């Protein structure tokens, strides 16, 4: 089983960005903990980050036939990108939406996710733990793939 | 560590209700799987269901000093109950919101959760697995309690 | 054939409440006239009232296998209860929505019924006659059950 | 007692139009069943259909002094015609609004009826039976005319 | 003269709930101060709390003929309960709406009161003093009863 | 100088329709008073009424080259007819909008006029006097035609 | 008979302000033409202008017992002043709203008049002629005073 | 193959109406060019115009069994007529929506087409060329009829 | 202790204005009753009224260092004046908002108070008694000043 | 004559993406059919696709002086990109908006095109035929260039 | 060159009002620094403050022929005064809108400026420096006056 | 001191794009004038432009530790990019928003800036002078950095 983790804009700043909201863990720290847990579960991991909407779209497209599940933290593009939504819908790979913070407890414009309706589920609010929960839900989603 | 699972209206019908959305698993099945995983994690579990908003409010109030974390699937009351929100906010026990289905992929009126802003995080869309993920996130939430 | 009539909050006050809108007939009067007409039609009747949303939810759940059709005057909960909607949708018993007054001619917030989309039809504005029409439509609904 | 049934645009297509919504009964079939029931109740019936909003307005005007009650299925004009509303309000004949389908369970723009606030009541969702229920409610409305 | 004080959901937690908003006074403290002042004014007091919307509705119904004025702090139900509104409107007892905090200075969804239009007046923002002011306004309301 | 008065749906009922709003004057009475005043001002008058939106549209089209100014009381079509708006805009004859009642003091849906932006001015609220004022403003509009 | 003409903010600039909208006539020119026509009709005229909302409010208050009808061009305050609305409503003198330009053909925020619902009628779009029409409608309004 | 071209209100004025928007071509000119191109494509053409909504509805109904495709420029009724939408939906003939001007670049109220959701496609903004493109798309639509 | 009572536009008309809403008591009557109660409580009173928004703003500014609490009935400016809100916020004197009528039971535009979020509390609906309750709440507010 | 076809995000997936909506034709198939038709019409074609908004913007900029007309299927960016709109507006090349599916018959958020107001026209709903129609309209647009 | 600085309500309180937002500088301090910089630039300065909307309106009117540019900090009236907007538009003097704080980062109701559309530009968020920047932009605006 | 100027999509077209709005100055001209003024002020300048949202995001990230202040003209992305907002918020460098035109006087969708709430201030409407004012405000912002 192979899972692709995609990270959207500004997540490369993790650990420096508004630490009172996201903590001091870097994206590399998160990748390491995801890979550690994946090894236990015998899952192969892809892990990428981009600030460019179109690059994220292309990575989703390229995942076709390469990955069984996508776990995506689309960050700001969660709320503005129909292109990401269309990409997820087009490739047909089961996708799980995750967020570090509880987006429903932040500014009004972060409550609405444009990609949620084409994802299998949403996990938010548990910091880096959201990634581990995302990985575990990926196992479930893969087993119950329609 | 002790975790209280609260279930809102109509969840007692699980297994009979719109099976194409929720599957055929009953609430008792879910409780059993939660208890099994909790035993592995050495966590004590409370597990209750009510169709009455006020009863759910009272259970949250009574959890004070009895439970470390609440995991709540408020079902329909998710979208209409300020009383549940106030109860969660008042008792100050870290609370996690879960749903069987991906509420963001259903009717517009199910996208907005009144309790989300006072919960630590939200997990939705993974069927009964949402309960197991809720339990695992509870461990994380308890460890990072502010 | 068996039909369950459910009555929501404050309908127990009928005959005292805003008589210029609802008239002086009591809920017992209505029940009597429904039962009289049901006898003619050879229909068995259940007839209940509650001020508690969750109790109405439970009665709908318990109707499963007991009644062929539900006729519901949900009163105030018509406009605020997703829990009632989910209950009706879950049990799968054909349900008819009735109201004493013409809700579309009253305050704006009474125009929208949350349960209407899961009911077979709506009858409103005919005072206690709405109940008799509800009973007669129940016969039709039962015959054309899908 | 005399009752006028008015039918709005496209109802002349009944039996051919979206049969999964309206069934295969024609408007002539409905008229026949209405007349049959009216004979039993000793009621005289007028029964007309037009695709032209202004023609329906004129028929309502001409009903003054000719009919005791109007039963109207205004179809599409239900949601767009203030002219029909004004006509009903102007002639002062008690009017009952009916629909074949449950308009509250269809597209958002069909939930709002512009004529409802000037009608005595609304019956929808019972196919051709809506017409018979409309006739029976007309008797009630005529007896309780203010 | 007899005045019924009704308290909605979570008010039983007073003194523990968000003390920076509501202070440390318990509901029992408030009841005591209300009774003390009522004794001075020669008024008989009823004082109840419930987390269940329908129970509050029933208490309002039962107040008919038992109390001259109702003073209600409906808490969360202020903003979601049409059933309470209908109950107040149906029994016809003059009712005064009170709140501990200034609801107009809190979250947007607390600005709108569904019961305000059927109450005689609103007092909010004065902590437990709101109850004393409610009692004094009850005297005025009773004297100017229409 | 020639002025065309156009009257929309239900105005043929004037004198019978909601007399507390419109008075007991008939449309024929109004026409007579308009013609009397027009004679004094040496103006030729056309005066027509229709319940059919498309007929009003056609009359506006035919006015081209026949009339200098149109005075229109579009009644219900004021608020629903883009076709009337387009007709007025297309023929280029200066047009004045009049109403018997003060539409801004009635139901919300009567506040918005779809034809106002293509008319030279609006006069409302003066009963049949609105027609006389419309005639006098027509003189002004004709003199200041751009 | 005595009529008070009130003019709101910036109308003292008439003749210099956006002449393509209002023309080059000054407010003094308008006053002169109103007085000329009033003399013919044997009406006594008051004519005032202020940029201060509160001063206009006071003038309306002082008109009580001094004037039979008020004709008001409230200019910008038309759309923002509840104080003017309350003043008109409080003194009970029949009031007519006028505007030089057709407010319904200008910016969206000029379409809504806060004072219209408490005025007898509205005349707009006829330049200085709006004042003369206002005067003539005042005669009608005075004769039909309720 | 037979194609029916339907034209809505005011299109009979083409060539005189706001020429800066629509040009000087008359509807007869357009019909001629459509017929010329149809002859080349061996298609039989119907071509009609009406200002009456109900007449357009009737023509759509009568097209059943007579025409393979409808091309409709509903003009103003595009934005206000649910009756046209229902007619198109009822007859089941593939329908193409066309407009002379780019409706999405005009007033806000012209952006929304009520008939678009029941049409196969929309072509707008190409003047009379929109009709030729409509004809050519009709060939495609007819070939790919489901 | 010193309390300033400020009264907004049209309150000088009290006793003449819409007596069915406000009663026949004049503002002088109210001032007298406030002063009488203040004497009992050993409080010094300022009492002023203005129709000019800016004058009310200035009085609030000048209250700095002169008064301990402000009680304000801003009347129409309650709903339109950000300037009053800013003044209250700037001087930092605890302020109480009062109204004669229950603003939440009147027109929609009176439900929203722009000054409420910067006031300590709101009292409305008790006629002149609102002023006495305002005075008594001022004592409480002064004692609990932060 | 030279025409540039621009294709937005995910169109490179054509033939795999939601085939029930778009069919099985690939973007290369479409390009081939466009080039074939262009050869007949003696038009030179540019044909490009990108998932990156900014790249599409740059291509529009570079088209200046290189192409006579742009035909753009902006896909998801149609509804979110003001940058594309500004680019089209800035370069001043006549632009035609096309879509494979009828965007007005899909999700609400696809009904609004941000680029439509700066395009000459819109063609949608005809699958790959939309591209051929786009090419033919380009000829018309080029001939009628202002 | 002459520049008029106008200051709206509560700006006379500067230095005392919410110092964490505006700092401790008084309006006199600001005037001094503006005058100092103006002397360097050889510009004559007018500098006024009023709490009365109508007075600000009058000062704008009187600036005609006296000043080349107006720099206005309308404070609260920025968001509520159409009268100020009309005054600026009427006198035709180029006007620059300034604010001490960044109004777009404060409460929602401060984001919308009613005067912005008739001003040449807006500068906000730089404390007293906003005035100096306003002065410097005035030089530019004066040089590029149309 | 070092200041980074960032320019969003289509600004590379300056001098060709809608000259009636932006003038004929190119971006290179602006850069030159900014550098000239910066030399006088002894400030080091970075100056970049991109059409790609993600590239602008990356440049903001890389500015960390390299620049003291950012001055950004985000052009179209001002209104659609949460990613830019998050980047500005994350790096914590004081940022100033500038625009050539007065965005508040243009289309409705340009009035709302998504980045404004995380910027120190906004300057718009002064053409290339906006850049010089931005530079001067940067000095102020740098001196008052918190």
């Amino acid at each position: 089983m192979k899972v692709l983790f995609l990270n959207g804009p500004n997540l490369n700043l993790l650990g420096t960005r508004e630490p009172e909201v996201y903590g001091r863990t870097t994206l590399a720290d998160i990748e390491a903990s995801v890979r550690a847990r994946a090894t236990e579960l015998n899952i192969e991991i892809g892990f990428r980050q981009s600030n460019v909407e179109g690059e994220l779209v292309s990575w989703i497209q390229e995942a076709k036939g390469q990955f069984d599940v996508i776990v995506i933290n689309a960050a700001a593009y969660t709320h503005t990108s129909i292109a990401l939504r269309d990409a997820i819908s087009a490739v047909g790979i089961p996708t799980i939406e995750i967020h570090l913070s509880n987006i429903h407890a932040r500014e009004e414009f972060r409550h609405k996710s444009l990609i949620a309706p084409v994802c299998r589920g949403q996990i938010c609010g548990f910091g880096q733990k959201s990634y581990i929960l995302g990985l575990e839900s990926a196992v479930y989603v893969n087993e119950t793939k329609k």
Side-chain angles (χ1 to χ4, degrees), chain A:
Chain A
M1 181 185 170
K2 298 174 70 177
V3 176
L4 175 61
F5 280 77
L6 289 181
N7 296 280
N10 296 304
L11 288 170
N12 55 327
L13 288 187
L14 265 185
T16 66
R17 180 191 177 192
E18 299 176 59
E20 70 288 354
V21 180
Y22 300 100
R24 299 196 176 277
T25 315
T26 66
L27 193 59
D29 295 338
I30 290 177
E31 182 176 353
S33 73
V34 167
R35 289 196 182 280
R37 180 72 180 128
T39 302
E40 292 170 16
L41 295 168
N42 203 24
I43 296 171
E44 203 172 321
I45 294 294
F47 199 97
R48 294 179 208 152
Q49 189 274 338
S50 176
N51 292 330
V52 179
E53 182 183 10
E55 194 165 31
L56 292 162
V57 167
S58 296
W59 287 342
I60 292 170
Q61 294 180 353
E62 295 159 11
K64 182 113 203 186
Q66 304 298 317
F67 291 93
D68 299 291
V69 179
I70 296 172
V71 178
I72 186 166
N73 178 352
Y77 293 143
T78 303
H79 317 293
T80 62
S81 177
I82 298 175
L84 280 176
R85 176 194 183 116
D86 284 354
I88 294 168
S89 169
V91 298
I93 301 172
T95 301
I96 295 157
E97 177 186 2
I98 62 169
H99 299 281
L100 293 163
S101 64
N102 180 354
I103 58 173
H104 307 295
R106 300 184 65 200
E107 304 99 320
E108 182 73 21
F109 65 78
R110 292 196 210 268
H111 296 189
K112 174 84 181 171
S113 163
L114 286 179
I115 63 171
V118 297
C119 289
R120 289 290 293 272
Q122 187 188 71
I123 297 168
C124 63
F126 306 105
Q128 59 172 311
K129 181 75 176 181
S130 291
Y131 282 76
I132 302 302
L133 295 169
L135 180 60
E136 295 187 4
S137 68
V139 178
Y140 170 80
V141 159
N142 195 44
E143 285 163 357
T144 60
K145 206 180 295 191
K146 299 169 215 187

